């Protein structure tokens, strides 16, 4: 998100010309400026539209702003509650001057910066624009070009794996992984019921059936002690998910998989950089899958990555993502493949994101700690899980509300204060495409009480104060 303009960047003196007004509007990039007299008192606002209309009426760039401004704009008094400010905002009114008792402009409210706080968002503070521009200028916009292989190399190094294969999103990374694990129609795959639906959907893409397992309370991830119960002669793989950035308990899972001859596909879509003991997630199972959707820790808009230490799996993955085309003979296809490629444009963003990955993770850690400092000891909330053996990452700061709290009411109250939040996923066994009988009390409880608060690297600590204040007041 771009930085909010300072108040001085929003001010036009009432004696200014149209040219000067335009220059100020151009610099603040808000499409509006506040017109004030010498005492700082608000006289009106001037917008792009006011200038356009003035020019169409024949006014010159030397005309005074007072001759074409909007003289009685929407304003708010200092101390107006945020809900009231939001109610005044619309597509047309996105910036409102805040005035004191003497009519002086002392602040401004902007929908994007002061009022609306999204639950997640990308942070582009490095070379993203430069690299994308290079793709456009050099015409390398599809999946050929230097950035795809650079992104793969940077990601493999980051995860400590031999191979990273870029694909179009996290869901197709899961689909390819299941094909690579030779999961066939009629087979079964063990998955946690508490995850995003893509984990289970991908299993159905290869004609197999997801078999659900409950969560365990310590990490909210698949309960490893219940996996063996779910294994049948048809089981081919297990997909542990590192939910909300916390690693699943991989040692016992790997042990079960080896004993039963199963493949392990890590769904690390939400956990870039998290460590299980010493190892980064994505490099512990046979295959790792990542998502680069816009709300993820590293984003390319849409995008995904498949990671593996197995040379054979990596080679087949590269063929399958590219229509099954032979690497030795162009336009020769030995197998049915897919177009699951990532574009050079997306990879360009990915390379720039990977250049800042440690800073992005650190910043998210600071945000995690700031939330925890505010909420620790509050009996109405339970903090995000943190197992001793894990180094979690902060994808979305997610808490559990006390049983008797009405979560929908809390979400609505936060919304009134301009703060987006989101409920934890519904357990997949409860939804029509995957309805399954079973006893999943932990997943159901986390799903019912879980609430994710705004978490993105460009958040200020002041915004966390604001969220926690609004949260605490919504819990009263
Ligand atoms: C756990 C999990 N798996 C898979 C996916 C799918 O990734 P994508 O949206 O990139 O297809 C997501 C998120 O979007 C996810 O959270």
């Amino acid at each position: 998100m771009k930085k909010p303009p300072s108040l001085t960047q929003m001010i036009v003196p009432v004696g200014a010309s149209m040219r000067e007004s335009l220059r100020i509007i151009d610099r603040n990039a808000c499409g509006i400026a506040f017109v004030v007299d010498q005492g700082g008192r608000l006289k009106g606002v001037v917008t792009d539209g006011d200038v356009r209309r003035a020019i169409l009426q024949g006014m010159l760039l030397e005309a005074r702003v007072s001759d074409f401004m909007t003289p009685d704009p929407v304003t708010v008094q200092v101390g107006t509650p945020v809900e009231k400010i939001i109610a005044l905002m619309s597509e047309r009114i996105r910036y409102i001057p805040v005035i004191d008792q003497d009519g002086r402009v002392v602040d401004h409210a902007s929908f994007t910066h002061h009022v609306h706080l999204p639950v997640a968002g990308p942070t582009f503070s490095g070379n993203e624009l430069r690299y994308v521009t290079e793709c456009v200028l050099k015409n390398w916009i599809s999946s050929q070009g230097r950035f795809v292989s650079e992104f793969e190399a940077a990601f493999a190094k980051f995860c400590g794996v031999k191979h990273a294969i870029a694909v179009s999103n996290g869901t197709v990374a899961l689909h390819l992984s299941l094909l690579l694990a030779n999961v066939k129609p009629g087979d079964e795959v063990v998955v946690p019921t508490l995850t995003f639906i893509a984990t289970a959907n991908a299993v159905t893409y290869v004609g197999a059936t997801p078999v659900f397992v409950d969560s365990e309370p310590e990490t909210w991830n698949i309960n490893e002690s219940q996996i063996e119960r779910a294994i049948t002669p048809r089981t081919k793989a297990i997909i542990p998910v590192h939910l909300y950035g916390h690693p699943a308990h991989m040692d016992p899972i790997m042990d079960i998989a080896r004993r039963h001859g199963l493949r392990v596909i890590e769904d690390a879509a939400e956990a870039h950089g998290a460590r299980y003991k010493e190892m980064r997630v994505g490099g512990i199972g046979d295959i790792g899958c990542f998502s680069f959707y816009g709300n993820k820790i590293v984003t390319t808009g849409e995008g995904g990555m498949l990671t593996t230490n197995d040379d054979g799996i990596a080679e087949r993955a590269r063929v399958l993502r590219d229509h099954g085309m032979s690497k030795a003979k162009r336009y020769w296809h030995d197998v049915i493949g897919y177009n699951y490629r990532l574009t050079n444009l997306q990879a360009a963003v990915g390379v720039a994101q990977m250049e800042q990955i440690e800073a992005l993770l650190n910043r998210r850690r600071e945000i995690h700690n700031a939330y925890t400092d505010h909420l620790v000891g509050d009996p109405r909330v339970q903090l995000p899980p943190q197992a001793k053996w894990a180094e979690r990452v902060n994808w979305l700061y997610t808490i559990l509300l006390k049983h008797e709290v009405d979560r929908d009411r809390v979400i609505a109250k936060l919304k009134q204060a301009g703060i987006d939040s989101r409920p934890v996923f519904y357990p997949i066994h409860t939804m029509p495409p995957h309805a399954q009988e079973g006893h999943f009390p932990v997943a159901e409880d986390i799903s019912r009480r879980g609430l994710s608060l705004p978490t993105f690297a460009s958040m200020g600590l002041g915004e966390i104060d604001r969220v926690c204040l609004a949260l605490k007041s919504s819990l009263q």
Side-chain angles (χ1 to χ4, degrees):
M1 209 192 291
K2 76 180 166 83
K3 280 209 190 92
S6 66
L7 184 58
T8 30
Q9 288 175 300
M10 299 294 287
I11 297 293
V12 177
V14 73
S17 66
M18 185 189 295
R19 186 190 306 276
E20 285 157 342
S21 313
L22 268 178
R23 204 166 278 140
I24 288 163
I25 293 175
D26 187 49
R27 285 209 193 107
N28 70 26
C30 297
I32 188 171
F34 309 144
V35 183
V36 300
D37 67 13
Q38 280 194 333
R41 281 177 295 267
L42 186 73
K43 292 287 151 196
V45 298
V46 57
T47 65
D48 279 338
D50 291 331
V51 176
R52 200 168 45 243
R53 281 182 290 276
I55 290 172
L56 286 172
Q57 282 166 17
M59 286 194 193
L60 300 175
L61 285 174
E62 283 63 42
R64 296 250 161 245
V65 67
S66 49
D67 291 335
F68 58 89
M69 69 185 185
T70 303
D72 44 11
V74 172
T75 62
V76 291
Q77 287 286 329
V78 178
T80 305
V82 170
E83 306 88 84
K84 287 215 171 128
I85 301 179
I86 296 177
L88 291 169
M89 298 240 171
S90 63
E91 266 310 301
R92 208 172 56 80
I93 300 174
R94 300 186 75 84
Y95 294 89
I96 299 182
V98 179
I99 54 175
D100 66 10
Q101 281 180 332
D102 302 322
R104 276 193 299 260
V105 184
V106 289
D107 200 354
H108 67 292
S110 104
F111 188 73
T112 323
H113 300 109
H114 299 116
V115 178
H116 178 248
L117 198 55
V119 80
T123 300
F124 296 138
S125 44
N127 286 318
E128 287 85 356
L129 194 57
R130 220 181 98 208
Y131 294 164
V132 169
T133 307
E134 180 187 317
C135 297
V136 173
L137 291 176
K138 295 191 174 169
N139 285 351
W140 291 107
I141 56 165
S142 292
S143 52
Q144 309 270 326
R146 76 177 178 108
F147 290 116
V148 176
S149 49
E150 283 182 23
F151 186 32
E152 291 178 337
F155 204 79
K157 185 160 177 247
F158 171 71
C159 292
V161 292
K162 244 170 124 179
H163 307 282
I165 297 105
V167 291
S168 0
N169 57 63
T171 307
V172 305
L174 286 163
H175 181 200
L176 280 190
S177 302
L178 288 152
L179 293 166
L180 293 161
N182 294 321
V183 180
K184 298 261 166 24
D187 289 343
E188 291 175 357
V189 177
V190 176
V191 298
T193 185
L194 192 66
T195 174
F196 180 56
I197 197 158
T199 319
N201 282 351
V203 174
T204 65
Y205 299 167
V206 296
T209 306
V211 175
F212 299 115
V213 168
D214 199 8
S215 316
E216 50 95 19
E218 192 192 7
T219 68
W220 305 357
N221 288 318
I222 191 164
N223 188 333
E224 66 277 2
S225 71
Q226 295 181 19
I227 291 177
E228 282 197 285
R229 240 183 277 164
I231 293 174
T232 73
R234 288 200 292 272
T235 310
K236 286 287 155 48
I238 307 171
I239 312 184
V241 180
H242 307 301
L243 203 66
Y244 293 104
H246 194 296
H249 206 341
M250 292 304 291
D251 279 350
I253 294 171
M254 295 307 291
D255 180 53
I256 295 166
R258 294 298 167 244
R259 279 193 282 110
H260 292 268
L262 308 176
R263 290 289 200 183
V264 175
I265 298 165
E266 290 175 72
D267 185 341
E270 305 173 358
H272 314 63
R275 282 181 208 272
Y276 176 73
K277 302 188 175 168
E278 292 303 297
M279 293 176 78
R280 282 232 153 108
V281 298
I284 306 164
D286 299 289
I287 306 175
C289 297
F290 291 84
S291 165
F292 303 126
Y293 184 65
N295 64 8
K296 296 300 190 296
I297 293 171
V298 168
T299 185
T300 59
E302 295 279 356
M305 195 72 84
L306 194 150
T307 50
T308 185
N309 286 309
D310 185 311
D311 298 344
I313 288 179
E315 201 182 311
R316 282 171 60 216
R318 290 183 192 286
V319 170
L320 284 180
R321 83 164 163 189
D322 190 15
H323 298 285
M325 199 187 308
S326 159
K327 290 286 164 206
K329 195 165 150 187
R330 285 175 70 208
Y331 296 102
W332 181 261
H333 305 264
D334 288 309
V335 290
I336 290 181
Y338 304 84
N339 179 355
Y340 282 174
R341 297 175 307 231
L342 188 78
T343 66
N344 200 45
L345 282 165
Q346 292 167 308
V349 177
V351 169
Q353 293 267 284
M354 290 311 290
E355 288 170 354
Q356 313 155 66
I357 180 70
E358 296 302 339
L360 290 173
L361 289 171
N362 285 339
R363 181 72 197 122
R364 282 175 175 271
R365 195 169 304 123
E366 283 167 14
I367 291 166
H368 179 106
N369 293 341
Y371 269 128
T372 297
D373 286 348
H374 272 285
L375 299 176
V376 69
D378 188 322
R380 298 164 301 180
V381 301
Q382 191 178 317
L383 300 180
Q386 175 60 76
K388 280 197 265 332
W389 40 260
E391 193 182 300
R392 68 163 307 141
V393 287
N394 181 22
W395 173 48
L396 287 179
Y397 190 87
T398 304
I399 54 173
L400 299 187
L401 301 174
K402 205 167 68 169
H403 288 90
E404 53 272 32
V405 174
D406 177 351
R407 184 181 57 185
D408 289 346
R409 188 173 157 270
V410 171
I411 291 174
K413 286 262 182 190
L414 289 173
K415 187 99 196 148
Q416 275 173 15
I419 298 164
D420 275 350
S421 57
R422 64 178 241 194
V424 158
F425 303 116
Y426 293 104
I428 300 181
H429 73 272
T430 63
M431 293 188 275
H434 299 284
Q436 225 171 74
E437 293 293 316
H439 187 58
F440 308 99
V442 178
E444 286 172 8
D445 179 54
I446 295 168
S447 167
R448 205 166 25 242
R449 298 196 289 127
L451 181 72
S452 299
L453 301 174
T455 312
F456 47 95
S458 53
M459 265 182 101
L461 294 182
E463 286 169 317
I464 293 168
D465 296 347
R466 190 180 138 206
V467 176
C468 292
L469 218 66
L471 175 70
K472 288 185 177 196
S473 102
S474 77
L475 289 170
Q476 269 154 19

